[in-house]
Amino acid sequence: MSGEDRSVAAYVARLLRARGVDRVFALCGGHIMSLMMAIDAEGIAIVDVRDERAAVYMAHAYGELRNGFGVALVTAGPGVTNAITGIANAHVARAPVVVISGVPPQPQEGRGALQDLPHVELVRALTRYARTLREPSLVPAALDEALACALGEGGEPGPVYVDFPVDTLRAGLPAAPAHDEHLRPHRPSRPAPQLAAARAAAEALWSAHRPLVISGRGARRAATPLTALLDRLGAPYLDTGESRGLIPDAHPAVVAAMRGTVMGEADVVLTVGRRLDFQLAYGSPAVFGAARFVRIADTPGELRDNRRGEVEILADCGEALTAIVDAAGARAPAIDRAWAAGLRRRHGERAAKLAAAMTSAPDDAEGRMHPNRLVAALQDRLGPDAIVVADGGDLLSFARVGMSAATWLDPGPLGCIGVGTPFGIAAALAEPGRTVCVVTGDGAFGFNAMEIDTAARHRVPLLVVVANNGASQIEVNDQQRRFGRVAGTRLQFADHAAMARAFGLYAERVTRAYELDAALDRVLARRPALLDVVVSPEAASSDARSGLARVPDLQAIDAWDDAERAWRSR
C-alpha cells in the first residue's frame, strides 16, 4: 500500500477507487466522518442526500445502470435504521449495493454510547454479508469478500453491509504485501452451460408448438443472445419490470398486450433469469395450464422457485442462450406460426387502440385531465434512448401500460414506492448523455420529495413529473368499492411546483390538458425541473380494477385468485 495515510479509512477509500467506484451516496455523521473525508481525498465524488433511505436507493440504481455495485455511506444508529428500507428493496431486487457505516469507538461499545445499536443484527436477514470490522489487519480481506458477495460471486447478488468502530477507522493499517492484492478488481465468475442441458433445452423449445419466453433480472446483459434466440425460435416474448426495454417494442416477438392470453396458451415456457413470483402467478397451473418449464438463471433463486423446470441451466444467461441456439443448429422449430402471428397481430391492434384512447381520454367534470393524457404526452416527447423511472401505485399502473423506454426502472418486486426521485438522480448521474424522466404519483413523490434539493444542489439534469390526484388513489378506489367509504387515503392537491422552486429547480404547475404540451417542452429544456400535473382522481388504473390493492388470498389479482381456487377445487 502506497501513500502517507495508512489509516483504515484511507485504505477503504483506495479500495473503492481501485474497484471502479467514482461516486458514493452519503449522509454525513460523526461516526463516518473520517471515512467520508478519505473518500473525498481519493477523488471519489460524494452525492450528499437528505435521507439515508434515498442514499441506498441511489446506490441501487447507480450500480445496476453501471453494471457494477453502488455504494451508500450512512452514519450510525438512525442512519442505519433509515437505510433499512433501501437495503430491503435491494435485497428483494437482487441489486448489488454496498452499505458502509460506523459504530462507537470500541472502549464505548455496550455502554450506552451515542447512536449505539446492533447494526449487523438488524440488517443480517436482508444482506448477503454483514459484519463489524474491528481489527485493522482483517479489513482488506473482509472488504474483498463483501464486494464478492454483493456481486453474486458464488451465490445471489444483493446488498452487503459493513461497519467500523470509529477508532478502527482512525487506526493505522499494518503494512502487508497481501493487502494490495485485494485492491485489484475481480470479475464474478459464472458456471458455463453444460452441453447436455443446452441440447435438452433446445429439444424442448424447438419441439414446442406454443413456446413462450419471459425475461427478468438475469437477462439484462444478454440482449443480443436473447434476440438471436427469439429470431430463430419465433416464440412470443414477455418482459417484466426487471428487464423492460431489453427487447424493443417493435420486435415481432413482443406481445405484451396479450400477456394473460399467451401465459394461458403456451405449452413450453422459457424463463431467463426470472423468478416465478406474484407477478407471474407463481407459475401456477391455474394460470399457465399444462405448460412445461425450461429455466435459465445465473443464480439458484431464479432457477427453481415455485416451479421446477423440465430443463434447468445454472449459468451465465447469455452464454446459456447462445448454447441453446447452437444446439438447435439449422433445425426448424415446430412452433405454430399462425398462433404466434395472431398474438402479435392482436397485440398490435390493442396497442394501437390504447394509444388512440390515451390521447383522447376525456377530462373529468372538474376539468382535470385523465392520467393517460399525461402518459401519452410524455411518451410522445421522450426520445428512444430515454430512461424512464415510474413510481407509485395507480400512476405506476398507467405508466407501465402506456409507456415504453430503452431503460426502465420502477419500485420492483418489493413494491417499494418512493424510489422515483432517488432512482432518477442516480440514473442521470450514471448516464449523463441520456434524458431521464421520473413519472410519479403524488403519494409516492412525498416519500422522498426532499431529494429534489439533492438534484438542485448537484445540478442533476433530471425531469420529475408528478401526477397529482390528491390521494393514494389505488387504495381510495379499493376502499370505495369494498367498504363504501374512504379512510386515511386522501391527500391534497398540493403545489409541488412551488416546493421545487423553493429548492432552486425550474418548475411549473399544470391544471388543464391544453397547458400540458408547452409546459413539457419548457421543463425538458430547463432541467433539473419538476412538472406538477393535476390529474383526475376519478380515473381507475388496471391495477385498481384487478384487485391488487385488495391483496387476494391465493394470488396477486382477482382473476388469478379465482382461477387458482377453481384449479384447486377440481
Side-chain angles (χ1 to χ4, degrees):
M1 186 176 67
S2 61
E4 294 182 4
D5 189 346
R6 306 191 68 85
S7 70
V8 168
Y11 178 85
V12 174
R14 278 193 286 272
L15 184 144
L16 293 177
R17 168 59 86 183
R19 295 298 186 92
V21 175
D22 62 355
R23 183 174 274 112
V24 302
F25 302 91
L27 207 162
C28 64
H31 294 83
I32 57 170
M33 193 57 68
S34 60
L35 182 52
M36 179 173 282
M37 299 312 293
I39 286 171
D40 177 70
E42 195 63 33
I44 298 172
I46 296 174
V47 179
D48 50 315
V49 303
R50 301 303 298 268
D51 186 278
E52 290 87 356
R53 172 181 49 180
V56 182
Y57 290 156
M58 291 180 195
H60 175 157
Y62 195 80
E64 291 202 341
L65 289 170
R66 297 289 290 263
N67 290 325
F69 60 88
V71 179
L73 181 61
V74 304
T75 199
V80 174
T81 57
N82 283 350
I84 284 177
T85 298
I87 295 171
N89 196 45
H91 164 68
V92 175
R94 286 99 63 209
V97 175
V98 178
V99 181
I100 304 175
S101 186
V103 294
Q106 293 176 83
Q108 299 184 45
E109 282 191 58
R111 301 180 65 193
L114 174 68
Q115 298 182 335
D116 190 7
L117 285 177
H119 300 154
V120 169
E121 294 178 33
L122 293 174
V123 303
R124 191 182 300 280
L126 301 173
T127 54
R128 308 297 183 264
Y129 180 98
R131 184 175 175 183
T132 298
L133 302 178
R134 294 179 173 85
E135 169 53 45
S137 65
L138 301 181
V139 167
L143 283 179
D144 187 40
E145 178 65 14
L147 296 183
C149 290
L151 292 168
E153 181 72 29
E156 190 171 71
V160 299
Y161 175 87
V162 292
D163 61 21
F164 305 83
V166 171
D167 53 328
T168 299
L169 287 171
R170 296 171 181 151
L173 186 69
H179 291 165
D180 288 343
E181 70 188 36
H182 298 298
L183 297 174
R184 295 194 297 268
H186 303 279
R187 184 184 178 194
S189 59
R190 298 284 183 267
Q194 295 183 345
L195 181 58
R199 287 173 174 167
E203 174 61 32
L205 292 165
W206 261 252
S207 63
H209 296 294
R210 298 185 303 279
L212 168 64
V213 178
I214 304 175
S215 66
R217 180 211 63 86
R220 287 176 185 158
R221 290 183 288 277
T224 298
L226 177 58
T227 302
L229 180 134
L230 292 171
D231 290 342
R232 286 278 288 110
L233 183 59
Y237 165 77
L238 296 177
D239 63 11
T240 55
E242 295 180 350
S243 59
R244 191 155 186 188
L246 194 65
I247 302 296
D249 289 349
H251 193 281
V254 174
V255 293
M258 299 298 295
R259 185 174 295 267
T261 299
V262 71
M263 286 168 61
E265 293 180 353
D267 58 2
V268 173
V269 177
L270 170 63
T271 62
V272 185
R274 186 59 167 88
R275 283 179 172 170
L276 289 169
D277 61 9
F278 74 96
Q279 298 170 90
L280 292 173
Y282 311 112
S284 172
V287 173
F288 284 91
R292 298 171 294 144
F293 283 81
V294 174
R295 307 201 64 182
I296 298 171
D298 59 10
T299 67
E302 294 168 355
L303 192 70
R304 49 181 181 262
D305 64 311
N306 290 310
R307 294 291 302 274
R308 297 302 297 259
E310 181 178 284
V311 183
E312 297 172 346
I313 302 177
L314 180 62
D316 176 88
C317 290
E319 292 182 11
L321 291 166
T322 298
I324 291 170
V325 172
D326 289 346
R331 175 180 176 180
I335 186 171
D336 182 341
R337 296 192 180 278
W339 170 77
L343 286 167
R344 177 64 181 177
R345 183 188 69 254
R346 285 180 285 164
H347 160 80
E349 291 169 352
R350 287 188 177 183
K353 184 177 178 181
L354 173 64
M358 287 171 60
T359 57
S360 60
D363 298 341
D364 66 16
E366 301 291 328
R368 297 168 298 205
M369 79 180 76
H370 194 288
N372 273 338
R373 293 282 293 276
L374 171 59
V375 169
L378 282 170
Q379 185 66 63
D380 185 55
R381 277 166 176 74
L382 297 177
D385 195 41
I387 298 173
V388 171
V389 184
D391 190 16
D394 233 27
L395 193 279
L396 174 60
S397 179
F398 284 116
R400 187 177 61 244
V401 173
M403 295 188 73
S404 61
T407 302
W408 176 275
L409 300 173
D410 65 26
L414 187 61
C416 193
I417 66 172
V419 301
T421 302
F423 271 20
I425 290 170
L429 292 171
E431 300 280 359
R434 300 173 65 184
T435 299
V436 178
C437 177
V438 175
V439 53
T440 177
D442 53 337
F445 176 67
F447 280 85
N448 284 288
M450 281 294 291
E451 297 307 328
I452 61 174
D453 171 67
T454 304
R457 286 183 293 108
H458 291 273
R459 303 305 300 168
V460 180
L462 170 73
L463 173 61
V464 178
V465 179
V466 182
N468 187 348
N469 59 12
S472 298
Q473 194 60 39
I474 197 168
E475 284 78 17
V476 168
N477 288 331
D478 181 65
Q479 289 176 342
Q480 289 173 328
R481 184 170 59 250
R482 290 202 292 142
F483 303 103
R485 66 183 190 280
V486 174
T489 52
R490 295 288 193 195
L491 301 173
Q492 59 175 316
F493 289 95
D495 190 340
H496 302 296
M499 175 186 177
R501 284 192 292 269
F503 285 110
L505 271 71
Y506 179 79
E508 294 192 28
R509 181 175 172 89
V510 169
T511 61
R512 293 293 183 266
Y514 68 82
E515 303 169 336
L516 180 60
D517 289 344
L520 277 172
D521 291 339
R522 289 190 293 270
V523 292
L524 278 166
R526 299 184 66 175
R527 293 167 288 159
L530 181 142
L531 185 65
D532 182 24
V533 183
V534 175
V535 297
S536 174
E538 298 172 12
S541 69
S542 58
D543 281 351
R545 294 192 299 269
S546 73
L548 183 68
R550 187 176 71 81
V551 192
D553 290 341
L554 302 177
Q555 288 282 355
I557 60 176
D558 286 334
W560 289 354
D561 193 71
D562 292 343
E564 187 75 29
R565 292 178 187 280
W567 179 74
R568 293 189 182 192
S569 65
R570 290 186 307 176

